[in-house]
Amino acid sequence: MVFPIRSKARRILSTMAALRPSSTCSNYRRKSSASNLTNSAEVEQGTHVELLPSVKRHPVRRLEASNDSMELAHECSNCEGENVSKANNGPDLFGEMKERFLSFKKHKFLKESEHFQTLAQAQAPKFMVIACADSRVCPSNILGFQPGEAFMIRNVANLVPPFENGASETNAALEFAVNTLEVKNILVIGHSSCAGIETLMRMQDDGDSSLTHSWVINAKVAKLRTKAVAPHLSFDQQCRHCEKESINSSLLNLRTYPWIEDRAKKEMLSLHGGYYDFLRCTFEKWTLDMNGTRPVGGGRYLDKDRELWC
């Protein structure tokens, strides 16, 4: 009696196994369909059957793994930053910058909150300042410009290219400052020991075509005038002379811009030069005499209201 029961049970199990789909056959069909690309629906269905259960089975585990990876990356990033800081063994520059910013916020921004809220709505600067990019020459630091007082651009050797040279960052800022903001004064500030002017003075006529050379050539007229009037001076003295001459050259170049010339003639805009000597801490200021000066090509330049602040 035992053996017939066991035999019947085996037949039932065999029948059930035959009715259940074989995973091997299913995988084979999926691979075959994917490789032949003849039944995309079957491929999608096979992929769905294969992947969906795995996603449903361990959603929490997958999320935990993702979070673990993010935390590990964050920890590695922090470790790397600490290692770099330790390796450099130098001051925390951004830490110092942060303290300066927070000091500004506490002692300036919050105490003058109404002023800064007004500035947030619009700006109405009285000056357009063109200064050198030299790190030792910061107009706001030297002349005490406060937020909202000066629309400023800094470039190598504080140059203004002539209008016919085409668009540049400098004249784009000039256009906005004069036509949109309607500034009343343009101040070009040069300085002592200017590396840009020294580069200009050392340049040969067949010099290289580097970006710096291509830019400082805008002051070539100043160099030629310096060579003409001060041939007996030493090279360093010629550079000092050219530093001031290039400011005047930029003031003359300003007059080649139609909207600047028009406003200046109507006395709606004044053009000024400034020279900062950071060795002696002196500042020389003058104003272009529109009536006594001819635009570039006339060879005539006159200034007025010259002062030396020392």
Side-chain angles (χ1 to χ4, degrees):
M1 295 296 294
V2 176
F3 293 103
I5 293 174
R6 290 180 177 177
S7 176
K8 186 175 181 179
R10 289 194 188 96
R11 286 197 300 272
I12 294 173
L13 291 174
S14 299
T15 302
M16 293 176 65
L19 293 174
R20 188 168 55 243
S22 171
S23 60
T24 303
C25 294
S26 176
N27 289 338
Y28 175 79
R29 282 198 306 270
R30 183 163 59 253
K31 292 177 181 178
S32 175
S33 301
S35 60
N36 294 330
L37 298 178
T38 57
N39 193 341
S40 60
E42 184 178 352
V43 174
E44 293 176 0
Q45 182 179 1
T47 303
H48 176 74
V49 171
E50 182 68 22
L51 295 180
L52 188 57
S54 66
V55 174
K56 288 183 177 180
R57 280 198 300 271
H58 306 293
V60 177
R61 185 181 301 173
R62 290 169 62 87
L63 180 60
E64 289 175 351
S66 177
N67 289 338
D68 290 343
S69 299
M70 293 176 64
E71 291 175 2
L72 180 60
H74 181 67
E75 291 175 2
C76 291
S77 176
N78 289 341
C79 292
E80 183 179 356
E82 292 176 1
N83 292 336
V84 170
S85 178
K86 292 178 180 179
N88 290 338
N89 195 27
D92 183 2
L93 299 180
F94 282 96
E96 294 179 7
M97 189 182 299
K98 174 184 176 181
E99 293 303 318
R100 293 175 189 176
F101 170 75
L102 294 177
S103 177
F104 160 77
K105 181 177 181 179
K106 178 180 179 180
H107 300 291
K108 189 75 174 177
F109 184 87
L110 294 179
K111 289 184 177 181
E112 302 176 17
S113 58
E114 291 185 5
H115 173 63
F116 282 97
Q117 290 299 321
T118 301
L119 287 179
Q121 303 302 319
Q123 59 173 325
K126 300 297 187 294
F127 290 90
M128 164 65 179
V129 175
I130 301 167
C132 186
D134 194 302
S135 62
R136 301 165 294 181
V137 185
C138 178
S140 294
N141 183 267
I142 298 166
L143 301 177
F145 287 120
Q146 298 302 304
E149 288 186 344
F151 189 82
M152 195 174 303
I153 188 165
R154 300 178 66 176
N155 62 42
V156 174
N158 45 270
L159 302 180
V160 176
F163 178 71
E164 59 267 20
N165 281 24
S168 70
E169 181 182 8
T170 298
N171 53 37
L174 277 169
E175 183 181 54
F176 180 75
V178 175
N179 291 341
T180 302
L181 300 180
E182 298 182 346
V183 297
K184 304 299 182 184
N185 301 276
I186 298 178
L187 173 61
V188 180
I189 302 176
H191 67 94
S192 58
S193 302
C194 181
I197 295 300
E198 181 178 342
T199 299
L200 171 70
M201 293 297 292
R202 292 186 184 278
M203 281 175 55
Q204 303 298 321
D205 292 337
D206 57 347
D208 64 51
S209 57
S210 69
L211 295 176
T212 302
H213 285 207
S214 299
W215 173 252
V216 297
I217 200 65
N218 284 303
K220 185 177 181 179
V221 172
K223 175 182 178 179
L224 295 176
R225 288 178 176 171
T226 298
K227 293 290 187 181
V229 302
H232 58 287
L233 298 180
S234 67
F235 178 76
D236 287 342
Q237 291 173 324
Q238 288 182 346
C239 286
R240 302 295 80 80
H241 187 279
C242 190
E243 286 165 356
K244 294 184 179 181
E245 193 64 54
S246 69
I247 299 171
N248 294 333
S249 178
S250 287
L251 292 176
L252 291 175
N253 285 343
L254 285 171
R255 296 194 61 180
T256 66
Y257 292 84
W259 63 87
I260 292 178
E261 178 71 0
D262 180 63
R263 287 177 177 270
K265 283 185 175 181
K266 294 177 180 178
E267 299 184 351
M268 299 171 61
L269 177 66
S270 297
L271 310 180
H272 311 273
Y275 181 80
Y276 171 56
D277 186 335
F278 55 72
L279 294 176
R280 296 180 294 176
C281 194
T282 61
F283 193 88
E284 191 173 359
K285 173 264 175 189
W286 62 94
T287 300
L288 182 67
D289 186 347
M290 293 296 295
N291 296 323
T293 301
R294 296 175 184 173
V296 176
R300 181 180 174 185
Y301 173 91
L302 290 178
D303 61 62
K304 60 182 181 179
D305 302 330
R306 185 175 287 269
E307 299 178 30
L308 179 62
W309 304 339
C310 58

